[in-house]
Amino acid sequence: AQSVAQPEDQVNVAEGNPLTVKCTYSVSGNPYLFWYVQYPNRGLQFLLKYITGDNLVKGSYGFEAEFNKSQTSFHLKKPSALVSDSALYFCAVRDRDTGFQKLVFGTGTRLLVSP
Amino acid sequence: DTAVSQTPKYLVTQMGNDKSIKCEQNLGHDTMYWYKQDSKKFLKIMFSYNNKELIINETVPNRFSPKSPDKAHLNLHINSLELGDSAVYFCASRKGLAGPNEQFFGPGTRLTVL
């Protein structure tokens, strides 16, 4: 079975500083990995995904994520945080080797960027 | 242009009532989903349809009945509402059944059962 762990309920960072939101995953096969962001009272918005190839994936709003197979991690990063990045971030995984398996989400990490 | 829309946005009702939530996508996708997000923001899949066929049915009480009249619509009917049904319900869609395509989410329907 697939699972995702987001070990931090909340990440606090000052504006202009780099940010990292952690995600580790577990699948029996190879993963498709995703990051989504949820702003207050809104639906989830897709940020980026890892399919194959280059371990560093670039996405929307300056975010990027690094796939590390040996550590089964897919941490979300941004070089310089903005106050407007404050939101709830979800990591998700789908096992590519088992066909149309469902997308499993982590528990979410709240990012708070202070001015 | 709205990609995935849901109606209503807010739904307040009494225990025991029956209610429906509607979802429509104009993206030409063939797979649609219902998710439940609880008060702790945990997101859990409930159902998935592909080309109007039910393909994922999680351990959801049979008071919840999805219906997909066509590929662009997936509705959720809930019978005999209970307090624990209070949550935000999200509809989502994607192209295809397998593969890496991402899901697109609607704005959510906040259901409050009194």
Side-chain angles (χ1 to χ4, degrees), chain A residues 32 34 36 38 41-46 49-51 88 90 94 99-103 105-107 110, chain B residues 9 33 35 37 41-43 45 55-56 58 90 94 97-103 105-107 110:
Chain A
Y32 293 126
F34 303 81
Y36 287 82
Q38 184 179 24
N41 301 314
R42 304 283 294 276
L44 277 71
Q45 293 178 34
F46 168 74
K49 64 184 174 186
Y50 171 78
I51 303 174
L88 187 57
F90 289 95
R94 178 184 298 121
F100 56 82
Q101 274 290 353
K102 60 191 176 186
L103 188 63
F105 286 86
T107 50
R110 190 167 301 281
Chain B
K9 190 168 174 60
Y33 305 83
Y35 287 88
Q37 186 175 46
K41 306 297 185 185
F42 297 156
L43 198 64
I45 189 168
I55 57 168
I56 294 176
E58 289 294 288
F90 287 102
R94 69 181 286 243
L97 192 53
N101 293 331
E102 63 270 22
Q103 295 179 15
F105 283 78
R110 183 174 295 276

Side-chain angles (χ1 to χ4, degrees), chain A residues 36-112:
Chain A
Y36 287 82
V37 60
Q38 184 179 24
Y39 297 100
N41 301 314
R42 304 283 294 276
L44 277 71
Q45 293 178 34
F46 168 74
L47 274 181
L48 51 80
K49 64 184 174 186
Y50 171 78
I51 303 174
T52 188
D54 196 349
N55 289 343
L56 186 64
V57 178
K58 293 189 184 296
S60 307
Y61 312 121
F63 284 93
E64 56 190 29
E66 188 164 11
F67 171 65
N68 187 317
K69 187 169 184 177
S70 62
Q71 296 184 7
T72 61
S73 66
F74 190 55
H75 301 330
L76 182 69
K77 301 182 181 188
K78 188 173 182 182
S80 178
L82 299 172
V83 172
S84 57
D85 292 330
S86 298
L88 187 57
Y89 290 81
F90 289 95
C91 182
V93 67
R94 178 184 298 121
D95 188 333
R96 73 166 73 193
D97 296 329
T98 54
F100 56 82
Q101 274 290 353
K102 60 191 176 186
L103 188 63
V104 173
F105 286 86
T107 50
T109 298
R110 190 167 301 281
L111 174 66
L112 186 59

Side-chain angles (χ1 to χ4, degrees), chain B residues 8-29:
Chain B
K9 190 168 174 60
Y10 299 96
L11 189 51
V12 181
T13 188
Q14 300 287 331
M15 251 190 337
N17 284 352
D18 303 338
K19 290 293 177 186
S20 291
I21 307 171
K22 295 188 176 183
C23 176
E24 177 181 1
Q25 53 93 6
N26 63 4
L27 297 166
H29 291 166

